[in-house]
Amino acid sequence: MSPSHPRDKMWLPWFRHPALRYPPLRTGLRMGVLLSLVLTAWLILANRVGVLDRLAIVRNAAALAVLFLIAFEPIARFRNSARDLLVSGGIGWAIGSLCYFVWTMYFHRLAGRMGAFHIFVLGAAVYLFMAVVVWIGGLIRVSRHHHLAAESKLRH
């Protein structure tokens, strides 16, 4: 006997919501979850696995490299849309900063170096800067296109 509803509709029906079909939102949510997972794994490895203390520099460099690769996804995906870049980067970075805030409640010395709000502002500033670069690049592309189109009309 087969179920009356398809399996994907029974599990996580909210994931099919039309609002989640907006690509920057999906990218931001995915990035935030991945940032949170990597941050959690990094903190657990750094504080609970004593064997890796000898390799602390390598461990931290590897974790930072993975975090930067994940954080680069919105920049690579929305290189032609400043608005989408800013939305997806902001959502993802906010989720990652929220996870950092939760971990600062458990690891008390973690907030001594940088607070969650500081982390959020640093990431938001990077995404804002990249959105401005994408926006200016788009303006330059459009103006070159209009300039070249006007030049070809003058030749004829």
Side-chain angles (χ1 to χ4, degrees):
M1 191 164 189
S2 65
S4 61
H5 299 291
R7 190 166 196 80
D8 62 339
K9 293 199 180 209
M10 290 188 332
W11 298 100
L12 302 173
W14 54 270
F15 199 66
R16 293 268 184 210
H17 194 272
L20 292 179
R21 291 189 187 131
Y22 184 53
L25 179 63
R26 288 186 103 145
T27 302
L29 289 173
R30 182 177 50 247
M31 183 185 99
V33 168
L34 289 174
L35 285 175
S36 299
L37 290 173
V38 171
L39 176 66
T40 300
W42 184 12
L43 286 170
I44 290 172
L45 288 175
N47 292 299
R48 299 291 183 242
V49 181
V51 177
L52 295 177
D53 286 344
R54 295 177 308 145
L55 304 169
I57 294 173
V58 175
R59 177 196 64 217
N60 293 344
L64 282 173
V66 171
L67 286 174
F68 282 128
L69 283 174
I70 293 169
F72 187 71
E73 180 189 4
I75 297 169
R77 184 165 184 196
F78 301 113
R79 61 188 176 275
N80 293 325
S81 173
R83 181 190 59 185
D84 292 346
L85 168 63
L86 194 56
V87 167
S88 66
I91 289 171
W93 202 256
I95 293 170
S97 298
L98 184 64
C99 178
Y100 184 86
F101 175 72
V102 170
W103 280 115
T104 58
M105 289 189 238
Y106 186 73
F107 296 109
H108 301 290
R109 292 179 57 193
L110 186 61
R113 176 139 174 112
M114 268 194 255
F117 184 70
H118 190 201
I119 296 281
F120 174 72
V121 169
L122 285 174
V126 169
Y127 284 114
L128 185 60
F129 175 76
M130 290 309 298
V132 168
V133 168
V134 166
W135 177 59
I136 291 173
L139 290 176
I140 291 171
R141 245 188 338 267
V142 167
S143 66
R144 275 186 60 87
H145 175 73
H146 287 301
H147 176 71
L148 293 175
E151 241 180 42
S152 68
K153 284 182 183 179
L154 288 176
R155 287 183 194 163
H156 296 323

